[in-house]
Amino acid sequence: MFVLPVTLTAVAAAAIINIWLSVRCGQLRGKLKILHGDDAGGPLTRRMRAQLNFVENTPFVLLLIAAIEISGRGQPWLAYVAGAYMLGRVAHGFGMDSEGPAKSRMIGVLITMLTLLGLAIVAVLIVMGVM
């Protein structure tokens, strides 16, 4: 049996984070009594955007993690990158609760962009035979 432990762990973590982001939106919907739509840029909109931003970026990261792991060139650093990405996404989720610029949000954005760029570069280097 072929098992991808880093990918499976990252996908499981991503599922849990997505549930957490979704529950946070639902809790705020109940508190604000907004069943549909958003609150025109208020706290609900920010939480919704945190979840959507997660959903927009995470599939690319997970696909790159899986491809690199399948290539056999991701050990042991790939697990650390996946973990850092997930922690960055949690930081971003908390940071989106702030109306102004939040340090945790900026850290989450930076980790996300660097992870995407770094994994993409590694994937290209693998294809070129450099790694």
Side-chain angles (χ1 to χ4, degrees):
M1 179 192 303
F2 188 67
V3 178
L4 301 172
V6 175
T7 302
L8 287 171
T9 303
V11 170
I16 291 166
I17 292 168
N18 193 49
I19 290 167
W20 171 69
L21 291 167
S22 179
V23 166
R24 286 169 40 92
C25 289
Q27 288 172 333
L28 202 49
R29 281 188 181 284
K31 181 180 174 184
L32 299 175
K33 298 182 179 16
I34 299 172
L35 297 178
H36 304 287
D38 60 34
D39 58 352
L44 177 59
T45 301
R46 290 193 301 276
R47 283 196 180 177
M48 290 169 62
R49 282 302 309 155
Q51 184 182 20
L52 186 55
N53 188 272
F54 179 81
V55 172
E56 291 167 346
N57 287 289
T58 302
F60 291 104
V61 171
L62 294 175
L63 284 170
L64 286 163
I65 288 170
I68 292 167
E69 188 172 20
I70 288 168
S71 79
R73 297 190 178 72
Q75 297 297 337
W77 60 268
L78 190 59
Y80 297 115
V81 170
Y85 175 79
M86 297 305 166
L87 290 174
R89 297 317 303 169
V90 170
H92 180 266
F94 281 124
M96 287 295 285
D97 280 346
S98 174
E99 285 189 36
K103 192 173 194 175
S104 62
R105 178 183 177 196
M106 295 304 134
I107 289 169
V109 169
L110 183 62
I111 289 172
T112 298
M113 295 302 134
L114 290 176
T115 301
L116 277 169
L117 179 61
L119 291 174
I121 289 169
V122 168
V124 169
L125 292 175
I126 290 170
V127 169
M128 293 173 57
V130 177
M131 280 191 73

